[in-house]
Amino acid sequence: MRTKTTKTTTTAAYSYEDNGIGHSMREQLETSAAHIFDLGRRTTEQTFELGDHLSRAADLLADGRFDNWVKMRCGLAPRSGRNYMAVFRNLGHVRDELVDLSVGATALFHLSSATTDQITAAIAFAEENGRLQVADVKAILAGGEEGGDKAGKDDQFSTGGVGGLKVMIAAKIRDGLKAFLAHVAAICKAVEAALARSRVIKEALAKEIQDIARVARQELENLALFIEPELDYGRNTKPTKFPKKTGWAEVNDTLYTLGGVDGWPKSKDMRDWLALHVLPVLGWAVSKERKPEWPLAVPTAPASEPAVPAEADSVGDRHDAEPVMSDEVSDDADVPDEAIDRFGAALEEATGGFMTVSREAPRNRKQFAKVPALADESIAEAELVPAVTP
């Protein structure tokens, strides 16, 4: 009822006759006014449509009567009307991209004054992050072109107050998120290349991704987590933690596991771990969908628990579950004693006496020291990893 009353009041308040507007022009203006009332100020597409109708009216009232008409007839402040027109006129060439990204009206208002390069940078940012907010646009406008000179970028560190702080934060989110996405993409690319080969070579893959994974994990925590209010040992800060058994906790733990080859599964289990856990989880983290579906079947504990076999558990590991030792020698297997002896001798020689084969039945036991993983069979001479002293 209030909407109808407003429309009637504004219509009565504006007199076409008193403003010297004839019947033909009045019909065109009334058509635009009706569309403006119907559209309101909602979606990105409607923002462009509203700007389109206001631009038509402004062309008809180019002699200075537009401000009075848009205020009295449409209930819009003249400044708002000009903002909508600027969006339609200056961003029309990228309308489809901005509509697909669902950019809000206020962000569009600010973006309408940007240069072509800044508009391109804003769209690229929105595509990477799934959104484009006012603070993001302001940061892009303040920083100039992404390839601009260093002095221009340093300007953002010279502005004080809350406004200057917001600009720096927006720039950090923009650039920091871009770096995190690039690092995760590099990890996924290396994993996919490893899976494309006939065998997954752990050592070779580790050289490519474990350092990047460590950096990506720190970037994620730096972007998403706060600092604990209490110092660690009275001097060191530490970030808060993602809630347990949540998607981002899984992403964080997966990056943690990728950051140390000693925590990876055995060579025979690597392919399934990479294909069924690592790639889906990291893909979920960098998805551009609004609400990407969680790729794992059910919520799980941190990634290092199901993915890392018992041999990889180490001192200080946060998982207290009793490790299960695999039965390398089965009681039921019909294996000649000579074959066992030969295998034991070869294993002892290959590991410098570090590992031997026992004829005793395997038992579950708590493991307190890091056991080095055997090198992949395709590597002729393995580099042995020294054991961690308890």
Side-chain angles (χ1 to χ4, degrees):
M1 291 295 294
R2 190 167 67 179
T3 302
K4 293 182 178 179
T5 302
T6 302
K7 292 174 66 175
T8 302
T9 302
T10 54
T11 301
Y14 186 82
S15 172
Y16 288 99
E17 290 78 6
D18 292 345
N19 286 275
I21 298 175
H23 181 74
S24 177
M25 185 184 297
R26 173 177 177 170
E27 288 186 349
Q28 296 178 60
L29 291 172
E30 280 297 294
T31 299
S32 294
H35 283 294
I36 291 169
F37 277 115
D38 291 339
L39 288 173
R41 310 176 199 178
R42 293 182 289 274
T43 67
T44 307
E45 177 64 32
Q46 290 169 331
T47 299
F48 275 95
E49 291 182 16
L50 198 153
D52 184 6
H53 290 295
L54 288 171
S55 294
R56 296 180 187 181
D59 290 339
L60 294 173
L61 300 173
D63 54 1
R65 292 177 292 181
F66 174 78
D67 286 359
N68 188 40
W69 175 83
V70 75
K71 178 180 180 180
M72 302 300 294
R73 179 63 186 88
C74 302
L76 286 175
R79 180 178 179 181
S80 297
R82 286 190 290 271
N83 283 335
Y84 283 107
M85 288 191 291
V87 170
F88 173 74
R89 292 172 174 173
N90 300 339
L91 301 176
H93 63 292
V94 289
R95 176 173 178 168
D96 292 340
E97 291 91 332
L98 295 171
V99 169
D100 290 341
L101 294 167
S102 300
V103 181
T106 306
L108 291 175
F109 293 163
H110 289 278
L111 191 61
S112 65
S113 62
T115 65
T116 301
D117 291 336
Q118 289 171 339
I119 293 172
T120 301
I123 292 176
F125 175 86
E127 289 175 344
E128 291 178 359
N129 301 285
R131 59 160 179 74
L132 183 66
Q133 297 180 345
V134 174
D136 304 323
V137 177
K138 287 183 176 180
I140 292 173
L141 296 179
E145 299 179 14
E146 290 192 340
D149 55 25
K150 187 177 184 296
K153 291 184 178 181
D154 287 345
D155 288 343
Q156 67 186 25
F157 300 104
S158 301
T159 304
V162 176
L165 184 60
K166 288 182 177 180
V167 170
M168 290 191 296
I169 292 172
K172 177 185 177 181
I173 293 174
R174 182 187 71 241
D175 298 334
L177 187 54
K178 183 182 297 184
F180 171 74
L181 294 174
H183 289 148
V184 174
I187 294 172
C188 292
K189 183 178 180 180
V191 170
E192 290 170 351
L195 290 173
R197 303 186 183 100
S198 58
R199 294 181 62 83
V200 176
I201 311 301
K202 291 174 61 175
E203 287 77 7
L205 182 60
K207 289 180 180 179
E208 288 191 70
I209 69 171
Q210 66 176 355
D211 290 343
I212 301 177
R214 293 170 186 168
V215 173
R217 177 171 175 262
Q218 292 183 3
E219 288 172 336
L220 175 61
E221 292 183 347
N222 188 256
L223 287 169
L225 297 179
F226 293 93
I227 299 298
E228 291 279 7
E230 297 182 3
L231 294 179
D232 189 13
Y233 300 109
R235 66 176 63 177
N236 298 322
T237 61
K238 58 181 179 179
T240 56
K241 298 182 181 298
F242 292 103
K244 293 182 178 180
K245 297 186 179 181
T246 62
W248 285 107
E250 192 79 48
V251 172
N252 195 55
D253 287 340
T254 298
L255 290 171
Y256 175 85
T257 304
L258 289 172
V261 67
D262 293 341
W264 293 11
K266 293 181 179 179
S267 296
K268 64 184 180 68
D269 299 323
M270 279 292 296
R271 184 173 294 275
D272 285 346
W273 179 60
L274 293 173
L276 303 179
H277 183 92
V278 173
L279 285 181
V281 169
L282 295 186
W284 178 85
V286 298
S287 173
K288 295 181 181 179
E289 298 178 13
R290 292 184 180 279
K291 293 183 179 180
E293 184 177 354
W294 180 243
L296 304 184
V298 293
T300 63
S304 53
E305 181 176 348
V308 180
E311 288 84 352
D313 288 345
S314 61
V315 176
D317 188 14
R318 55 182 171 271
H319 306 299
D320 297 328
E322 194 75 15
V324 179
M325 307 297 290
S326 59
D327 294 340
E328 298 290 345
V329 181
S330 173
D331 292 336
D332 299 331
D334 187 12
V335 180
D337 292 342
E338 304 82 41
I340 297 177
D341 292 337
R342 287 197 303 272
F343 176 75
L347 180 62
E348 184 172 0
E349 181 180 357
T351 61
F354 187 80
M355 299 181 67
T356 60
V357 174
S358 174
R359 296 177 183 275
E360 297 181 0
R363 294 172 295 178
N364 295 345
R365 66 187 67 184
K366 184 73 175 180
Q367 190 167 309
F368 295 98
K370 177 81 70 178
V371 177
L374 290 179
D376 194 277
E377 295 177 0
S378 64
I379 300 178
E381 295 183 7
E383 297 180 359
L384 297 178
V385 180
V388 177
T389 303

